[in-house]
Amino acid sequence: IATIPSTQTSNAVWKRRSFSSVSESEVNKFSEFSKTWWDPRHNPLIGMNAVRVQYIVDELRSTTESNQQNDDNNNTNTTNNHSNHHDRYVPPLTGLSALDVGCGGGLLSESLARLGATVTAVDPSIQLVQQAKTHAQLDPKTRSIDYRGGYTVEQLAQEHQNHQLSSSFEGYDVICLLEVVEHVTDVHSVLSSVRSLLKPNTGRLFVSTMNRTVKSNLLAIVGAEY
């Protein structure tokens, strides 16, 4: 997984796109997995999820600890405040907004929500997102995830550009693009759209993709997807 910090950009950097990078064949292929998405015998991403989530949490923590330490040093009541805070558990992503691009059946989305994030999740597969919505109802902590099926990140970016989202929307604190870019027809379109949705300066983008080797392709495509 690679983590990419946000930089201040103007709206002019992102050009409006009326098309999407969706590959219909890829959408159809993954839609067939909707009924077995949460079965670890059929979905290898389940085994990878804990490691990926921990990496995301660790990276986000490392970017904020120094600032928090500086704030504590300037606070005369630091000792008392710390003792009170440690008495109760606060999920590490509390107060952060997260976007899961290509959410599939909601594996990563649910993890982010359980860790305290306010999660929006998009995927071009209506079937997979319907499965995600159904599964999310099993846990009160995941029922509030904003799932959007038959939906692309380009559409979300276009809505933001057209001011169709809340006027108070400043961008997402966290955007995850995991095992997605190898399935799209236009990587630049996806990355440009994602960049426009990331909160300037403080937002973090997490991207992962399979290695481009014969062995990895056989394992990931033949072994996992078929």
Side-chain angles (χ1 to χ4, degrees):
I1 300 177
T3 176
I4 305 171
S6 173
T7 56
Q8 181 70 45
T9 58
S10 66
N11 288 336
V13 172
W14 180 75
K15 296 181 179 180
R16 296 187 181 185
R17 294 173 179 267
S18 59
F19 59 89
S20 80
S21 57
V22 170
S23 166
E24 292 299 330
S25 62
E26 291 292 290
V27 173
N28 292 336
K29 180 176 67 178
F30 281 99
S31 293
E32 295 177 0
F33 297 154
S34 59
K35 294 182 179 180
T36 59
W37 184 267
W38 286 94
D39 186 341
R41 296 171 299 177
H42 295 88
N43 188 353
L45 294 178
I46 293 176
M48 300 166 54
N49 191 57
V51 175
R52 300 192 305 178
V53 171
Q54 189 59 56
Y55 175 84
I56 292 170
V57 171
D58 289 345
E59 283 293 309
L60 292 173
R61 182 182 290 121
S62 68
T63 60
T64 58
E65 279 183 343
S66 59
N67 290 335
Q68 291 175 345
Q69 185 174 5
N70 290 335
D71 290 341
D72 287 343
N73 290 336
N74 294 328
N75 190 335
T76 57
N77 296 319
T78 294
T79 302
N80 291 333
N81 286 341
H82 270 302
S83 61
N84 291 333
H85 286 322
H86 289 319
D87 288 340
R88 63 187 181 88
Y89 170 73
V90 178
L93 303 188
T94 298
L96 299 181
S97 59
L99 172 64
D100 185 7
V101 180
C103 65
L107 182 63
L108 178 64
S109 304
E110 289 197 7
S111 296
L112 296 175
R114 291 192 183 96
L115 290 171
T118 300
V119 180
T120 300
V122 300
D123 196 284
S125 171
I126 296 174
Q127 292 93 327
L128 278 175
V129 171
Q130 185 56 53
Q131 177 64 27
K133 290 180 178 179
T134 300
H135 195 273
Q137 295 305 307
L138 300 176
D139 186 345
K141 295 181 180 179
T142 60
R143 292 173 185 169
S144 62
I145 297 174
D146 179 12
Y147 281 116
R148 306 188 187 191
Y151 208 86
T152 68
V153 69
E154 287 97 340
Q155 286 176 271
L156 191 63
Q158 190 72 69
E159 285 188 7
H160 176 50
Q161 187 77 0
N162 293 338
H163 305 290
Q164 293 177 4
L165 296 177
S166 171
S167 58
S168 62
F169 178 76
E170 297 179 0
Y172 292 97
D173 297 296
V174 181
I175 299 182
C176 296
L177 192 68
L178 309 186
E179 278 71 59
V180 171
V181 297
E182 64 266 35
H183 301 293
V184 302
T185 60
D186 188 339
V187 175
H188 182 265
S189 174
V190 172
L191 293 178
S192 295
S193 298
V194 165
R195 185 183 183 188
S196 74
L197 292 166
L198 200 60
K199 182 174 290 187
N201 299 321
T202 59
R204 305 287 288 185
L205 168 62
F206 294 88
V207 181
S208 70
T209 185
M210 294 294 178
N211 291 331
R212 298 293 186 177
T213 65
V214 174
K215 182 178 180 180
S216 65
N217 283 336
L218 288 174
L219 290 174
I221 299 175
V222 178
E225 297 180 4
Y226 292 96

